[in-house]
Amino acid sequence: MENKIDMLHGPLLKKILIFAFPIIMGSILQQLFSAVDIAVVGLTGDSNGQAAIGANTTVIALFVNFFVGLSVGINVVIGNYIGSDHKERIQSTVHTAVAFAALSGIGLLLLVELVARPMLILMATPETVIDTAVMYLRIYACGMPFILVYNFGAAVLRTVGDTKRPLFALIAAGAINVVLDLVLALGLSLGVVGVALATAFSNVISSSLVIIFLLNETGHIKLSFSKLRINGDDLIKLLKIGLPSGFQTMVFSIANICIQTTINSYGSAAMAGNAIALIFEVLSYYIVTGINQAAVTFTSQNYGAGNVKRCLKVFLISMAVALVLTNIVNYIFIGAEHFFVGLFTSDAAVAEYTYLRFKVVLAVQCLICSYEISGSVLRGFGRSMLPAVITIFGTCVLRIVWVNTVCAHVKNIAYVFVVYPVSWVVTGLFVVGAFVVVYRKAAK
């Protein structure tokens, strides 16, 4: 199999950027599905509809991100096979991953349909929003099998450095999403139902294209429907790396649900303003996740090849690129906040909540690079449990404790937002420290 990007030799900066950029753009396009939903509903003047979509952000993340975290196992396992030249194991791993994604997606769809209303009620979603929020979540859930197949299939392509075709799939799906949003939500006056249908169908398009790409491959990652089956040994290897990452993102989402529940208590304007701010934070966060994908894939191949010093270079370059890019993007958003927020709402109360979150959270979001990049390199070393445990306690547990102590006694939404930078500093210090210890042992 010929690598699309040679990760084992030559300068790293350019290759990391070439690898990460399509992932960043692809992730941003995925986020724009939700952003377009909120913007189009905003054009109808339905702030409750915007709040209903925003109320589902953390719920959707809870379910979907667990399996997206699992897909990290694909990068590490196949990356190690490539680095150690054990290419005969790749075919079985590819088919196990795609089959597992499809079955898990169907199970996830059924689960969300069952728990949609109870979960949103548990989150103290206001009566004015609850019915619309449940309807949006149930329609959105119909696309979950396709979301998982896309992410697992794209992870397979990325193991050989092919990050462009998953991006092309999302560009096509994103264009269809925008057109359908306008036609269904505005043209046919379906509102929130229309944007939910548009997003679900867009996920069908992106996953279908990725499967077509894999079916037409000529190397070891070629997919064949006749070979789709789950190999127990391959699945165990994928889960050994992916499960800690998946549980980390799931617990992370649970912590954010607790925060969202507290935000919901401030009313629909706070919910809508928070949802708009999250759009910009996630856009910036996807810069880091794109570089994370590069860091874990480059590290896994070089670690598999026994080149530990090159892994350190991957860490340093990835960290520097992530810090620079997130700060540039975030301060563009903050500097032109009236313009960007105005794209989503004309409600002054909603906008004020968004501006507040910009100042407290977005301004220091670069802090996440400390634990995200360090954790990705540790996963490339095969140490997936260590960063997961640290992040669960340093970020997730701390946030839950914060909202149940500080926020319970101080009724000011700014104190809800402050928990983010506090948890980022604590988690970052410990995960970077863990990386230093593991690297020194590996280098010996």
Side-chain angles (χ1 to χ4, degrees), residues 19-20 23 285-298 318 322 368-369 371-377 379:
F19 185 100
I23 300 175
Y285 176 70
Y286 282 145
I287 293 173
V288 182
T289 58
I291 299 168
N292 276 346
Q293 289 283 340
V296 72
T297 307
F298 276 71
S318 299
I368 66 174
C369 298
Y371 66 85
E372 289 285 352
I373 302 299
S374 303
S376 292
V377 176
R379 292 184 185 96

Short mmCIF file of all heavy atoms in Angstrom, two decimals, residues 19-20 23 285-298 318 322 368-369 371-377 379:
data_model
loop_
_atom_site.label_atom_id
_atom_site.label_comp_id
_atom_site.label_asym_id
_atom_site.label_seq_id
_atom_site.Cartn_x
_atom_site.Cartn_y
_atom_site.Cartn_z
N PHE A 19 -2.06 17.29 6.19
CA PHE A 19 -2.92 16.25 6.76
C PHE A 19 -4.09 16.88 7.52
O PHE A 19 -5.24 16.46 7.37
CB PHE A 19 -2.10 15.38 7.71
CG PHE A 19 -2.84 14.20 8.26
CD1 PHE A 19 -2.67 12.94 7.73
CD2 PHE A 19 -3.70 14.35 9.35
CE1 PHE A 19 -3.35 11.84 8.24
CE2 PHE A 19 -4.40 13.27 9.87
CZ PHE A 19 -4.23 12.01 9.33
N ALA A 20 -3.79 17.89 8.34
CA ALA A 20 -4.80 18.43 9.26
C ALA A 20 -5.81 19.34 8.58
O ALA A 20 -6.98 19.36 8.97
CB ALA A 20 -4.11 19.19 10.40
N ILE A 23 -9.12 17.91 7.43
CA ILE A 23 -9.90 17.46 8.58
C ILE A 23 -10.55 18.64 9.28
O ILE A 23 -11.72 18.61 9.67
CB ILE A 23 -9.02 16.68 9.58
CG1 ILE A 23 -8.40 15.46 8.91
CG2 ILE A 23 -9.82 16.26 10.81
CD1 ILE A 23 -7.42 14.70 9.78
N TYR A 285 -12.49 24.84 18.07
CA TYR A 285 -12.09 23.56 18.64
C TYR A 285 -11.73 22.57 17.54
O TYR A 285 -10.82 21.74 17.71
CB TYR A 285 -13.23 23.01 19.49
CG TYR A 285 -12.97 21.65 20.07
CD1 TYR A 285 -12.03 21.47 21.07
CD2 TYR A 285 -13.67 20.54 19.62
CE1 TYR A 285 -11.77 20.22 21.62
CE2 TYR A 285 -13.43 19.28 20.15
CZ TYR A 285 -12.48 19.12 21.15
OH TYR A 285 -12.25 17.88 21.66
N TYR A 286 -12.40 22.66 16.40
CA TYR A 286 -12.13 21.71 15.31
C TYR A 286 -10.75 21.94 14.69
O TYR A 286 -10.22 21.04 14.03
CB TYR A 286 -13.22 21.78 14.26
CG TYR A 286 -14.48 21.05 14.67
CD1 TYR A 286 -15.73 21.52 14.31
CD2 TYR A 286 -14.41 19.89 15.43
CE1 TYR A 286 -16.89 20.85 14.68
CE2 TYR A 286 -15.56 19.23 15.83
CZ TYR A 286 -16.80 19.71 15.45
OH TYR A 286 -17.93 19.04 15.83
N ILE A 287 -10.19 23.12 14.88
CA ILE A 287 -8.80 23.31 14.47
C ILE A 287 -7.91 22.38 15.29
O ILE A 287 -7.02 21.69 14.77
CB ILE A 287 -8.36 24.78 14.68
CG1 ILE A 287 -9.13 25.70 13.74
CG2 ILE A 287 -6.85 24.94 14.48
CD1 ILE A 287 -8.89 27.17 14.00
N VAL A 288 -8.19 22.33 16.59
CA VAL A 288 -7.40 21.48 17.48
C VAL A 288 -7.64 20.00 17.17
O VAL A 288 -6.70 19.21 17.12
CB VAL A 288 -7.74 21.78 18.95
CG1 VAL A 288 -6.89 20.93 19.89
CG2 VAL A 288 -7.53 23.26 19.25
N THR A 289 -8.90 19.61 16.94
CA THR A 289 -9.17 18.20 16.68
C THR A 289 -8.55 17.75 15.36
O THR A 289 -8.13 16.59 15.23
CB THR A 289 -10.68 17.92 16.66
OG1 THR A 289 -11.32 18.73 15.66
CG2 THR A 289 -11.30 18.20 18.00
N GLY A 290 -8.48 18.64 14.37
CA GLY A 290 -7.81 18.29 13.12
C GLY A 290 -6.33 18.02 13.33
O GLY A 290 -5.77 17.06 12.80
N ILE A 291 -5.70 18.87 14.12
CA ILE A 291 -4.28 18.68 14.43
C ILE A 291 -4.10 17.46 15.34
O ILE A 291 -3.10 16.74 15.26
CB ILE A 291 -3.71 19.96 15.07
CG1 ILE A 291 -3.84 21.12 14.07
CG2 ILE A 291 -2.23 19.77 15.44
CD1 ILE A 291 -3.57 22.48 14.66
N ASN A 292 -5.10 17.20 16.21
CA ASN A 292 -5.07 15.98 17.02
C ASN A 292 -5.00 14.73 16.14
O ASN A 292 -4.23 13.81 16.42
CB ASN A 292 -6.35 15.88 17.87
CG ASN A 292 -6.25 16.65 19.16
OD1 ASN A 292 -5.16 17.05 19.56
ND2 ASN A 292 -7.36 16.85 19.82
N GLN A 293 -5.82 14.72 15.10
CA GLN A 293 -5.83 13.57 14.19
C GLN A 293 -4.46 13.38 13.56
O GLN A 293 -3.96 12.26 13.40
CB GLN A 293 -6.90 13.76 13.10
CG GLN A 293 -8.32 13.65 13.59
CD GLN A 293 -8.73 12.21 13.82
OE1 GLN A 293 -8.12 11.28 13.30
NE2 GLN A 293 -9.76 12.01 14.62
N ALA A 294 -3.85 14.51 13.17
CA ALA A 294 -2.50 14.43 12.60
C ALA A 294 -1.52 13.91 13.65
O ALA A 294 -0.70 13.03 13.38
CB ALA A 294 -2.06 15.80 12.09
N ALA A 295 -1.60 14.44 14.87
CA ALA A 295 -0.66 14.07 15.93
C ALA A 295 -0.75 12.58 16.25
O ALA A 295 0.27 11.89 16.37
CB ALA A 295 -0.93 14.90 17.19
N VAL A 296 -1.98 12.05 16.40
CA VAL A 296 -2.12 10.65 16.77
C VAL A 296 -1.71 9.72 15.64
O VAL A 296 -1.09 8.67 15.86
CB VAL A 296 -3.57 10.35 17.23
CG1 VAL A 296 -4.55 10.35 16.08
CG2 VAL A 296 -3.64 9.01 17.96
N THR A 297 -1.99 10.12 14.38
CA THR A 297 -1.65 9.27 13.24
C THR A 297 -0.15 9.28 12.97
O THR A 297 0.47 8.22 12.77
CB THR A 297 -2.42 9.72 11.99
OG1 THR A 297 -3.83 9.79 12.28
CG2 THR A 297 -2.22 8.75 10.84
N PHE A 298 0.46 10.48 12.98
CA PHE A 298 1.92 10.57 12.78
C PHE A 298 2.66 9.86 13.90
O PHE A 298 3.64 9.15 13.67
CB PHE A 298 2.34 12.03 12.71
CG PHE A 298 2.20 12.67 11.35
CD1 PHE A 298 0.95 12.96 10.84
CD2 PHE A 298 3.31 12.98 10.58
CE1 PHE A 298 0.80 13.55 9.59
CE2 PHE A 298 3.18 13.57 9.33
CZ PHE A 298 1.92 13.85 8.82
N SER A 318 2.91 20.10 16.49
CA SER A 318 1.44 20.09 16.59
C SER A 318 0.96 21.08 17.64
O SER A 318 -0.02 21.81 17.42
CB SER A 318 0.95 18.68 16.94
OG SER A 318 1.30 17.75 15.95
N ALA A 322 -1.34 24.40 16.74
CA ALA A 322 -2.67 24.50 17.35
C ALA A 322 -2.83 25.80 18.13
O ALA A 322 -3.86 26.48 18.03
CB ALA A 322 -2.90 23.30 18.27
N ILE A 368 -7.04 24.73 25.65
CA ILE A 368 -7.38 23.32 25.43
C ILE A 368 -6.27 22.59 24.69
O ILE A 368 -6.18 21.36 24.77
CB ILE A 368 -8.71 23.17 24.66
CG1 ILE A 368 -8.58 23.71 23.23
CG2 ILE A 368 -9.85 23.81 25.39
CD1 ILE A 368 -9.81 23.47 22.38
N CYS A 369 -5.43 23.33 23.98
CA CYS A 369 -4.34 22.69 23.24
C CYS A 369 -3.43 21.90 24.17
O CYS A 369 -2.87 20.87 23.79
CB CYS A 369 -3.52 23.74 22.49
SG CYS A 369 -4.44 24.68 21.26
N TYR A 371 -3.95 19.98 26.82
CA TYR A 371 -4.30 18.58 27.10
C TYR A 371 -4.74 17.81 25.86
O TYR A 371 -4.60 16.59 25.79
CB TYR A 371 -5.35 18.48 28.21
CG TYR A 371 -6.72 19.02 27.88
CD1 TYR A 371 -7.67 18.24 27.23
CD2 TYR A 371 -7.09 20.30 28.26
CE1 TYR A 371 -8.93 18.74 26.95
CE2 TYR A 371 -8.34 20.80 27.99
CZ TYR A 371 -9.27 20.02 27.33
OH TYR A 371 -10.52 20.51 27.04
N GLU A 372 -5.27 18.51 24.85
CA GLU A 372 -5.73 17.82 23.65
C GLU A 372 -4.54 17.25 22.84
O GLU A 372 -4.53 16.08 22.47
CB GLU A 372 -6.55 18.76 22.76
CG GLU A 372 -7.92 19.11 23.31
CD GLU A 372 -8.91 17.97 23.18
OE1 GLU A 372 -8.58 16.97 22.52
OE2 GLU A 372 -10.00 18.08 23.76
N ILE A 373 -3.55 18.09 22.56
CA ILE A 373 -2.40 17.63 21.76
C ILE A 373 -1.58 16.61 22.55
O ILE A 373 -1.17 15.57 22.01
CB ILE A 373 -1.52 18.83 21.34
CG1 ILE A 373 -2.33 19.84 20.53
CG2 ILE A 373 -0.31 18.34 20.55
CD1 ILE A 373 -2.91 19.31 19.25
N SER A 374 -1.34 16.88 23.83
CA SER A 374 -0.59 15.93 24.66
C SER A 374 -1.30 14.58 24.72
O SER A 374 -0.67 13.53 24.61
CB SER A 374 -0.44 16.48 26.08
OG SER A 374 0.18 17.74 26.08
N GLY A 375 -2.63 14.61 24.88
CA GLY A 375 -3.39 13.38 24.95
C GLY A 375 -3.34 12.60 23.65
O GLY A 375 -3.27 11.36 23.65
N SER A 376 -3.37 13.30 22.51
CA SER A 376 -3.33 12.62 21.21
C SER A 376 -2.00 11.92 20.99
O SER A 376 -1.95 10.80 20.48
CB SER A 376 -3.58 13.64 20.09
OG SER A 376 -4.90 14.11 20.13
N VAL A 377 -0.90 12.57 21.37
CA VAL A 377 0.41 11.94 21.22
C VAL A 377 0.53 10.73 22.15
O VAL A 377 1.07 9.69 21.77
CB VAL A 377 1.54 12.96 21.49
CG1 VAL A 377 2.91 12.27 21.44
CG2 VAL A 377 1.49 14.08 20.45
N ARG A 379 -1.92 8.80 23.00
CA ARG A 379 -2.69 7.73 22.35
C ARG A 379 -1.90 7.11 21.20
O ARG A 379 -2.01 5.92 20.95
CB ARG A 379 -4.03 8.28 21.85
CG ARG A 379 -4.97 8.65 22.98
CD ARG A 379 -6.35 9.10 22.51
NE ARG A 379 -7.13 9.54 23.65
CZ ARG A 379 -7.25 10.80 24.05
NH1 ARG A 379 -6.66 11.75 23.36
NH2 ARG A 379 -7.95 11.11 25.12
#
